[in-house]
């Protein structure tokens, strides 16, 4: 028996919107402490890791660990039928080949349930070790989205370089080049507007902008984004979900030929 | 512009 009631249902809608274009289908792993998902895109270049902890739910019941394979496009279609203020409940029964999403309006005058077929998914799980990163940049998520969108109109790849001077995003394309430098800026009115650079060693890496732009679909989940880089590791782009968990995107770098 | 690497180079399959 599985029953999870999320008062802030819009959060689940936002999570799905942030990952459904990167990953077609995925296993949702439910346990008593919360639920998680890990899935690579079809080219094995990017990976999404989602965690939503049980504490963030108004009601959370998971009698035994269970994994449910869901098509994220279909799940997104169903969650789009929930209002932004709706309470969303996910229900499942042991051995069933369906999952039910229940949507309740805040005034309880409209209650809908949508039953979705589950699917068998051969998931390839990767072990992601804890790592010490050379540089960690925390910045406003909207600023990061703006930079990725702007650079993608000039080139296909972005070089992200972190030095003690700041973080530089560079691209080049047929029409020319672009460089955007952000300096550490902690003298802001609101902490979420700060750019904070933690650097142990300078690092410079190249990534495909197409993926970075896909990750920025998670912008509505968090005011800030954290970018962690080490030369011998995929970059981690993390959007924290307040009080509940995170959506992390891992992206393999491009290497010099 | 460099060759694209893949994640299984960096992370092992479980």
């Amino acid at each position: 028996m599985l029953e999870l009631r999320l008062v802030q249902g819009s959060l689940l809608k936002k999570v799905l919107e942030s990952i459904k274009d990167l990953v077609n289908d995925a296993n949702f792993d439910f346990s008593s402490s919360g639920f998680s998902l890990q899935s690579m895109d079809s080219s094995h270049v990017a990976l999404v890791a989602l965690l939503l902890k049980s504490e963030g739910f108004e009601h959370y019941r998971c009698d035994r660990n269970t994994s449910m394979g869901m098509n994220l496009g279909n799940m997104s279609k169903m969650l789009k039928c929930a209002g932004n203020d709706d309470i969303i409940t996910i229900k499942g029964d042991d051995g069933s080949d369906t999952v039910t999403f229940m949507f309740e309006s805040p005034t309880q005058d409209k209650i809908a349930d949508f039953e979705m077929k589950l699917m068998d998914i051969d998931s390839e799980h990767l072990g992601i070790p804890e790592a010490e990163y050379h540089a960690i940049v925390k910045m406003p998520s909207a600023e990061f989205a703006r930079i990725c969108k702007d650079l993608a109109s000039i080139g296909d790849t972005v070089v992200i370089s972190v030095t003690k001077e700041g973080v530089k995003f560079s691209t080049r394309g047929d029409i020319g080049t672009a460089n955007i430098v952000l300096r550490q800026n902690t003298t802001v009115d609101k902490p979420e507007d700060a750019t904070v650079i933690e650097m142990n060693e300078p690092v410079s890496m190249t990534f495909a902008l197409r993926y970075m732009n896909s990750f920025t679909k998670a912008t509505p989940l968090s005011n800030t984004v954290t970018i962690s880089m080490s030369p011998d590791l995929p970059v981690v782009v993390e959007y924290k979900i307040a009080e509940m968990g995170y959506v992390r995107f891992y992206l393999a770098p491009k290497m010099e030929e | 512009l460099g060759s694209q690497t893949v994640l299984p180079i960096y992370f092992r399959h479980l």
Side-chain angles (χ1 to χ4, degrees):
Chain A
M1 167 86 179
L2 180 76
E3 194 167 291
L4 289 60
R5 189 168 197 263
L6 183 62
V7 171
Q8 204 187 338
S10 60
L11 209 122
L12 195 61
K13 287 161 69 86
K14 288 177 192 170
V15 166
L16 255 288
E17 288 314 295
S18 75
I19 63 177
K20 75 168 170 50
D21 295 333
L22 193 66
V23 177
N24 294 330
D25 33 51
N27 282 318
F28 285 70
D29 298 314
F30 296 90
S31 74
S32 55
S33 62
F35 77 85
S36 62
L37 170 160
Q38 190 207 85
S39 186
M40 277 190 283
D41 82 303
S42 57
S43 58
H44 291 190
V45 170
L47 178 146
V48 56
L50 163 72
L51 174 69
L52 291 178
K53 290 185 275 192
S54 56
E55 299 95 278
F57 293 82
E58 190 215 10
H59 168 74
Y60 190 100
R61 179 177 169 187
C62 175
D63 294 343
R64 64 184 184 89
N65 292 0
T66 180
S67 187
M68 290 185 182
M70 303 195 205
N71 177 287
L72 298 189
N74 293 345
M75 187 176 172
S76 165
K77 278 181 195 168
M78 294 205 162
L79 293 184
K80 275 189 178 158
C81 301
N84 280 331
D85 299 329
D86 281 2
I87 299 161
I88 297 181
T89 302
I90 302 175
K91 288 185 194 177
D93 286 315
D94 288 347
S96 168
D97 57 359
T98 61
V99 60
T100 299
F101 303 111
M102 191 172 90
F103 310 142
E104 296 168 69
S105 67
T107 48
Q108 305 283 316
D109 51 4
K110 180 179 173 188
I111 295 170
D113 53 86
F114 288 67
E115 193 179 75
M116 188 177 80
K117 291 175 188 162
L118 297 175
M119 52 196 296
D120 283 325
I121 297 166
D122 278 332
S123 71
E124 290 180 276
H125 238 66
L126 295 181
I128 301 170
E130 288 288 315
E132 290 279 320
Y133 286 93
H134 283 210
I136 300 174
V137 177
K138 185 176 169 222
M139 61 186 285
S141 58
E143 182 67 75
F144 179 62
R146 172 75 198 259
I147 289 171
C148 291
K149 179 169 163 274
D150 288 349
L151 294 185
S153 67
I154 313 291
D156 296 329
T157 61
V158 57
V159 180
I160 306 179
S161 308
V162 184
T163 62
K164 59 180 188 298
E165 274 72 48
V167 53
K168 182 166 79 168
F169 301 87
S170 309
T171 193
R172 65 173 59 241
D174 293 341
I175 63 167
T177 63
N179 294 290
I180 300 169
V181 177
L182 296 185
R183 294 207 176 86
Q184 169 145 296
N185 174 16
T186 51
T187 57
V188 287
D189 292 340
K190 290 181 279 181
E192 62 262 35
D193 291 337
T195 298
V196 183
I197 298 168
E198 281 176 52
M199 192 201 75
N200 299 319
E201 285 184 61
V203 56
S204 181
M205 300 174 74
T206 305
F207 304 100
L209 273 168
R210 184 166 71 84
Y211 288 100
M212 284 292 182
N213 267 311
S214 176
F215 302 164
T216 63
K217 290 185 176 143
T219 305
L221 282 169
S222 179
N223 288 322
T224 61
V225 61
T226 307
I227 303 159
S228 304
M229 294 200 301
S230 273
D232 46 358
L233 284 175
V235 64
V236 190
V237 178
E238 180 182 68
Y239 295 85
K240 281 207 160 57
I241 303 170
E243 322 291 321
M244 285 201 82
Y246 56 76
V247 179
R248 285 180 190 154
F249 300 100
Y250 294 81
L251 176 59
K254 291 196 142 206
M255 291 296 181
E256 297 292 327
E257 301 271 13
Chain B
L1 290 170
S3 63
Q4 179 64 60
T5 62
V6 293
L7 291 168
I9 297 174
Y10 305 94
F11 301 142
R12 67 188 175 82
H13 279 98
L14 291 181

